[in-house]
Amino acid sequence: MEPIVATPRVNSAHLANFRGKTVRLVGRVLAVNGSNAILEAGDQGQVTVNFVMSGNTIMQDTVVEVLGRVENDLSVQELSTAHFAQWDPVQYTKMVNLAMQNKDLFG
């Protein structure tokens, strides 16, 4: 059985600490261009997401959670994506910041 690997939830401000690692990023889709999208994370920073396939079902003004690897340029290479029905970016950012301050509890 493979070990479970933690995938921390991050905002744009945390990406530099996770280069080469897998993370979860939630954000509102601001723009879609082929296989790339710009997400506005909960901390209002913009992040480029590179999708595995162009023609993904990601649409502008939707909220998505991207599981992906942080690249050296701080873009995120998507591994999978889930749509969110409701999302409060202020509360989400508070939760992410608490998780970052308590890594022993949140992996």
Side-chain angles (χ1 to χ4, degrees):
M1 179 180 252
E2 290 186 36
I4 297 173
V5 178
T7 52
R9 294 182 183 277
V10 299
N11 276 323
S12 66
H14 303 115
L15 292 175
N17 298 324
F18 292 96
R19 283 184 172 100
K21 300 213 169 30
T22 301
V23 298
R24 294 179 183 274
L25 172 72
V26 176
R28 180 169 307 285
V29 179
L30 298 178
V32 179
N33 184 13
S35 61
N36 299 318
I38 304 295
L39 266 61
E40 182 179 62
D43 62 356
Q44 298 181 334
Q46 294 184 5
V47 179
T48 299
V49 176
N50 306 306
F51 291 103
V52 176
M53 304 176 174
S54 60
N56 198 318
T57 59
I58 304 305
M59 296 181 348
Q60 191 168 335
D61 289 328
T62 60
V63 177
V64 295
E65 178 184 60
V66 176
L67 173 67
R69 185 182 67 248
V70 180
E71 301 295 327
N72 285 332
D73 64 358
L74 302 184
S75 65
V76 175
Q77 178 63 52
E78 179 232 18
L79 301 171
S80 67
T81 302
H83 292 269
F84 271 41
Q86 295 181 342
W87 178 62
D88 182 333
V90 173
Q91 294 304 317
Y92 185 81
T93 296
K94 288 179 183 179
M95 185 273 305
V96 167
N97 289 336
L98 282 172
M100 290 294 154
Q101 293 168 4
N102 298 284
K103 291 181 183 177
D104 54 325
L105 295 175
F106 294 99

